[in-house]
Amino acid sequence: SQQGEEDPQALSIQEGENATMNCSYKTSINNLQWYRQNSGRGLVHLILIRSNEREKHSGRLRVTLDTSKKSSSLLITASRAADTASYFCAGDNYGQNFVFGPGTRLSVLP
Amino acid sequence: EAQVTQNPRYLITVTGKKLTVTCSQNMNHEYMSWYRQDPGLGLRQIYYSMNVEVTDKGDVPEGYKVSRKEKRNFPLILESPSPNQTSLYFCASSLSPGVWAFFGQGTRLTVV
Protein backbone atom coordinates (compact mmCIF):
# COMPACT_ATOMS: atom_id res chain seq x y z
CA SER A 1 0.00 0.00 0.00
CA GLN A 2 1.10 3.56 -0.27
CA GLN A 3 0.63 6.48 2.00
CA GLY A 4 -0.53 9.88 0.89
CA GLU A 5 0.28 12.90 2.94
CA GLU A 6 -1.39 16.28 2.77
CA ASP A 7 0.26 19.56 3.61
CA PRO A 8 -0.44 21.75 5.48
CA GLN A 9 -2.26 19.90 8.24
CA ALA A 10 -4.41 22.95 8.87
CA LEU A 11 -5.12 26.11 6.88
CA SER A 12 -7.11 29.16 7.84
CA ILE A 13 -8.09 31.78 5.27
CA GLN A 14 -10.60 34.57 4.75
CA GLU A 15 -13.64 34.15 2.55
CA GLY A 16 -12.81 35.07 -1.04
CA GLU A 17 -9.17 34.04 -0.80
CA ASN A 18 -7.69 31.05 -2.57
CA ALA A 19 -6.72 27.90 -0.68
CA THR A 20 -3.94 25.61 -1.81
CA MET A 21 -3.34 22.17 -0.38
CA ASN A 22 -0.60 19.76 -1.34
CA CYS A 23 -0.38 16.01 -1.39
CA SER A 24 2.66 13.78 -1.66
CA TYR A 25 2.77 10.05 -2.15
CA LYS A 26 5.42 7.38 -2.17
CA THR A 27 4.94 5.03 -5.10
CA SER A 28 3.53 4.98 -8.61
CA ILE A 29 -0.13 5.68 -9.06
CA ASN A 30 -2.72 5.11 -11.75
CA ASN A 31 -4.83 8.01 -10.57
CA LEU A 32 -5.10 10.40 -7.67
CA GLN A 33 -8.28 11.68 -6.14
CA TRP A 34 -9.26 14.46 -3.82
CA TYR A 35 -12.07 14.23 -1.31
CA ARG A 36 -13.80 16.56 1.10
CA GLN A 37 -15.12 15.58 4.52
CA ASN A 38 -17.34 17.77 6.64
CA SER A 39 -16.82 17.25 10.36
CA GLY A 40 -16.62 13.46 10.70
CA ARG A 41 -19.22 12.76 8.03
CA GLY A 42 -18.83 10.74 4.86
CA LEU A 43 -16.34 11.68 2.19
CA VAL A 44 -17.41 13.50 -0.93
CA HIS A 45 -15.47 12.74 -4.07
CA LEU A 46 -14.28 16.01 -5.62
CA ILE A 47 -12.05 15.25 -8.56
CA LEU A 48 -9.94 12.52 -10.12
CA ILE A 49 -6.76 13.10 -12.08
CA ARG A 50 -5.09 10.32 -14.02
CA SER A 51 -1.38 9.72 -14.08
CA ASN A 52 -1.11 10.94 -17.69
CA GLU A 53 -2.83 14.25 -16.88
CA ARG A 54 -1.07 17.29 -15.47
CA GLU A 55 -3.95 19.58 -14.63
CA LYS A 56 -7.68 19.34 -14.24
CA HIS A 57 -10.44 21.82 -13.44
CA SER A 58 -13.87 21.42 -11.96
CA GLY A 59 -15.74 24.60 -11.10
CA ARG A 60 -13.66 26.46 -8.49
CA LEU A 61 -11.30 23.50 -8.10
CA ARG A 62 -8.01 23.10 -9.88
CA VAL A 63 -5.86 20.03 -9.40
CA THR A 64 -2.34 19.51 -10.64
CA LEU A 65 -0.31 16.35 -10.70
CA ASP A 66 3.44 16.01 -10.98
CA THR A 67 4.29 12.33 -11.20
CA SER A 68 8.03 13.02 -11.29
CA LYS A 69 7.79 14.66 -7.85
CA LYS A 70 5.00 12.34 -6.71
CA SER A 71 2.92 15.28 -5.68
CA SER A 72 -0.42 16.91 -6.35
CA SER A 73 -2.03 20.17 -5.37
CA LEU A 74 -5.63 21.22 -4.93
CA LEU A 75 -6.51 24.86 -5.39
CA ILE A 76 -9.88 26.19 -4.31
CA THR A 77 -10.47 29.65 -5.73
CA ALA A 78 -12.71 32.32 -4.21
CA SER A 79 -13.29 30.26 -1.09
CA ARG A 80 -16.58 30.33 0.79
CA ALA A 81 -17.48 29.49 4.37
CA ALA A 82 -19.12 26.32 3.05
CA ASP A 83 -15.70 25.11 1.89
CA THR A 84 -14.70 24.66 5.53
CA ALA A 85 -13.90 20.93 5.77
CA SER A 86 -11.07 18.44 5.75
CA TYR A 87 -9.56 17.58 2.39
CA PHE A 88 -7.91 14.28 1.60
CA CYS A 89 -5.95 12.88 -1.27
CA ALA A 90 -5.86 9.20 -2.12
CA GLY A 91 -3.93 7.25 -4.71
CA ASP A 92 -4.77 4.13 -6.62
CA ASN A 93 -1.90 1.91 -7.65
CA TYR A 94 -3.57 -0.02 -10.48
CA GLY A 95 -5.72 -1.91 -8.04
CA GLN A 96 -7.95 -1.65 -5.10
CA ASN A 97 -5.35 -0.60 -2.56
CA PHE A 98 -6.18 3.00 -1.94
CA VAL A 99 -4.66 4.90 0.92
CA PHE A 100 -5.68 8.28 2.25
CA GLY A 101 -3.42 10.75 3.97
CA PRO A 102 -4.43 12.36 7.29
CA GLY A 103 -5.93 15.35 5.48
CA THR A 104 -5.77 19.15 5.51
CA ARG A 105 -8.25 20.93 7.76
CA LEU A 106 -9.42 24.06 5.96
CA SER A 107 -11.19 26.84 7.82
CA VAL A 108 -12.72 29.65 5.76
CA LEU A 109 -13.52 32.62 7.94
CA PRO A 110 -16.34 35.00 7.03
CA GLU B 1 -31.15 8.45 -4.92
CA ALA B 2 -27.75 6.79 -5.26
CA GLN B 3 -26.40 6.08 -1.82
CA VAL B 4 -24.37 3.92 0.50
CA THR B 5 -26.17 3.24 3.77
CA GLN B 6 -24.43 2.16 6.94
CA ASN B 7 -26.03 1.04 10.16
CA PRO B 8 -25.82 1.80 12.94
CA ARG B 9 -24.46 5.35 12.90
CA TYR B 10 -23.33 5.12 16.52
CA LEU B 11 -22.51 2.06 18.59
CA ILE B 12 -21.09 1.59 22.06
CA THR B 13 -20.23 -1.96 22.98
CA VAL B 14 -18.14 -3.95 25.42
CA THR B 15 -14.94 -5.81 24.76
CA GLY B 16 -15.52 -9.26 23.27
CA LYS B 17 -19.15 -8.84 22.29
CA LYS B 18 -19.55 -9.71 18.61
CA LEU B 19 -21.02 -7.01 16.41
CA THR B 20 -21.88 -6.37 12.79
CA VAL B 21 -21.96 -3.08 10.96
CA THR B 22 -24.08 -3.27 7.85
CA CYS B 23 -23.41 -1.56 4.54
CA SER B 24 -25.74 -1.47 1.60
CA GLN B 25 -25.51 0.26 -1.77
CA ASN B 26 -28.25 0.75 -4.35
CA MET B 27 -26.10 1.42 -7.41
CA ASN B 28 -25.31 -2.15 -8.45
CA HIS B 29 -21.61 -1.48 -7.87
CA GLU B 30 -19.23 -4.41 -7.99
CA TYR B 31 -16.58 -2.85 -5.77
CA MET B 32 -17.08 -2.19 -2.09
CA SER B 33 -14.67 -1.37 0.69
CA TRP B 34 -14.41 -0.70 4.41
CA TYR B 35 -12.20 1.95 5.99
CA ARG B 36 -11.47 3.10 9.48
CA GLN B 37 -10.57 6.67 10.27
CA ASP B 38 -8.45 7.61 13.24
CA PRO B 39 -7.08 11.04 14.18
CA GLY B 40 -3.73 11.73 12.55
CA LEU B 41 -3.82 8.50 10.56
CA GLY B 42 -6.28 9.31 7.82
CA LEU B 43 -8.42 6.55 6.40
CA ARG B 44 -7.04 3.06 6.27
CA GLN B 45 -8.56 0.28 4.22
CA ILE B 46 -9.72 -2.76 6.17
CA TYR B 47 -11.16 -5.03 3.49
CA TYR B 48 -12.46 -4.64 -0.01
CA SER B 49 -14.55 -6.71 -2.37
CA MET B 50 -14.41 -6.90 -6.13
CA ASN B 51 -17.63 -8.85 -6.55
CA VAL B 52 -19.93 -11.31 -4.85
CA GLU B 53 -17.92 -13.86 -2.88
CA VAL B 54 -14.64 -12.10 -3.76
CA THR B 55 -12.96 -10.22 -0.94
CA ASP B 56 -9.42 -9.27 -0.05
CA LYS B 57 -7.52 -7.72 2.82
CA GLY B 58 -6.64 -4.07 2.92
CA ASP B 59 -4.03 -2.47 5.12
CA VAL B 60 -5.50 -3.20 8.54
CA PRO B 61 -7.61 -6.38 8.39
CA GLU B 62 -6.68 -7.86 11.77
CA GLY B 63 -9.68 -8.30 14.03
CA TYR B 64 -12.23 -7.87 11.24
CA LYS B 65 -14.19 -10.11 8.92
CA VAL B 66 -16.36 -9.34 5.94
CA SER B 67 -18.72 -11.20 3.67
CA ARG B 68 -20.21 -10.47 0.27
CA LYS B 69 -23.09 -12.81 -0.35
CA GLU B 70 -25.06 -10.30 -2.38
CA LYS B 71 -23.83 -7.48 -4.56
CA ARG B 72 -25.58 -4.76 -2.59
CA ASN B 73 -24.45 -5.73 0.92
CA PHE B 74 -21.00 -5.80 2.49
CA PRO B 75 -21.20 -6.21 6.28
CA LEU B 76 -18.22 -5.67 8.56
CA ILE B 77 -17.99 -8.15 11.42
CA LEU B 78 -16.01 -7.75 14.61
CA GLU B 79 -15.99 -11.18 16.22
CA SER B 80 -14.35 -10.03 19.46
CA PRO B 81 -14.07 -6.24 19.54
CA SER B 82 -11.28 -4.63 21.52
CA PRO B 83 -10.81 -1.00 22.63
CA ASN B 84 -8.23 -0.40 19.88
CA GLN B 85 -11.04 -0.88 17.37
CA THR B 86 -12.74 2.24 18.65
CA SER B 87 -12.87 4.32 15.49
CA LEU B 88 -15.01 5.91 12.81
CA TYR B 89 -15.83 3.40 10.08
CA PHE B 90 -16.77 4.12 6.50
CA CYS B 91 -18.11 1.90 3.78
CA ALA B 92 -17.56 2.85 0.15
CA SER B 93 -18.69 1.54 -3.19
CA SER B 94 -17.49 2.00 -6.73
CA LEU B 95 -18.24 1.14 -10.31
CA SER B 96 -14.55 0.71 -11.08
CA PRO B 97 -11.53 -0.27 -9.03
CA GLY B 98 -9.61 2.48 -7.30
CA VAL B 99 -12.24 5.16 -7.78
CA TRP B 100 -14.18 5.24 -4.52
CA ALA B 101 -16.84 7.75 -5.41
CA PHE B 102 -19.55 6.91 -2.89
CA PHE B 103 -19.14 6.77 0.85
CA GLY B 104 -21.57 6.03 3.61
CA GLN B 105 -22.13 8.51 6.42
CA GLY B 106 -19.96 6.59 8.84
CA THR B 107 -20.37 4.48 11.96
CA ARG B 108 -18.80 5.73 15.14
CA LEU B 109 -17.87 2.69 17.21
CA THR B 110 -16.72 2.81 20.82
CA VAL B 111 -15.48 -0.37 22.48
CA VAL B 112 -15.19 -0.14 26.26
Side-chain angles (χ1 to χ4, degrees):
Chain A
S1 66
Q2 58 201 349
Q3 184 70 47
E5 189 139 336
E6 294 88 358
D7 169 62
Q9 288 189 353
L11 180 61
S12 218
I13 59 174
Q14 295 293 135
E15 213 165 16
E17 292 181 340
N18 296 341
T20 299
M21 288 157 269
N22 302 298
C23 167
S24 60
Y25 55 92
K26 293 184 179 172
T27 60
S28 298
I29 56 168
N30 180 39
N31 63 61
L32 187 138
Q33 296 165 59
W34 285 90
Y35 292 80
R36 184 184 74 229
Q37 184 182 34
N38 291 87
S39 191
R41 298 177 66 82
L43 277 75
V44 174
H45 184 266
L46 294 176
I47 194 165
L48 176 151
I49 185 164
R50 302 200 182 277
S51 58
N52 61 354
E53 297 176 310
R54 291 295 167 258
E55 189 171 310
K56 202 158 182 181
H57 297 254
S58 176
R60 293 185 295 115
L61 305 180
R62 174 180 161 244
V63 168
T64 63
L65 180 63
D66 187 334
T67 53
S68 66
K69 294 181 179 175
K70 293 187 170 57
S71 67
S72 173
S73 69
L74 170 68
L75 168 68
I76 304 174
T77 60
S79 62
R80 306 166 181 166
D83 294 328
T84 294
S86 290
Y87 291 83
F88 296 87
C89 68
D92 169 50
N93 187 17
Y94 298 94
Q96 289 75 31
N97 223 348
F98 197 76
V99 181
F100 292 76
T104 292
R105 266 192 332 278
L106 173 66
S107 298
V108 181
L109 308 171
Chain B
E1 180 191 350
Q3 59 186 3
V4 177
T5 304
Q6 291 177 232
N7 279 297
R9 292 289 310 279
Y10 302 91
L11 179 58
I12 301 174
T13 190
V14 296
T15 299
K17 186 176 180 183
K18 182 180 177 179
L19 66 91
T20 299
V21 183
T22 63
C23 173
S24 181
Q25 50 96 359
N26 62 0
M27 296 163 280
N28 204 36
H29 286 168
E30 290 185 349
Y31 300 89
M32 297 185 75
S33 182
W34 276 103
Y35 293 86
R36 61 177 289 174
Q37 184 178 28
D38 301 290
L41 295 177
L43 279 86
R44 295 178 291 169
Q45 191 177 48
I46 303 171
Y47 269 95
Y48 59 91
S49 170
M50 294 77 82
N51 212 328
V52 173
E53 302 291 4
V54 184
T55 63
D56 206 350
K57 296 177 180 179
D59 296 320
V60 289
E62 295 78 21
Y64 304 94
K65 281 175 56 176
V66 292
S67 71
R68 188 93 182 272
K69 292 187 170 60
E70 312 160 275
K71 191 180 258 192
R72 64 182 291 124
N73 296 324
F74 190 44
L76 179 69
I77 303 154
L78 284 72
E79 296 266 0
S80 183
S82 62
N84 65 10
Q85 293 177 299
T86 292
S87 188
L88 180 58
Y89 291 86
F90 289 101
C91 180
S93 77
S94 169
L95 200 53
S96 48
V99 184
W100 299 104
F102 293 89
F103 279 80
Q105 287 302 298
T107 296
R108 191 169 289 281
L109 172 65
T110 302
V111 184
V112 298

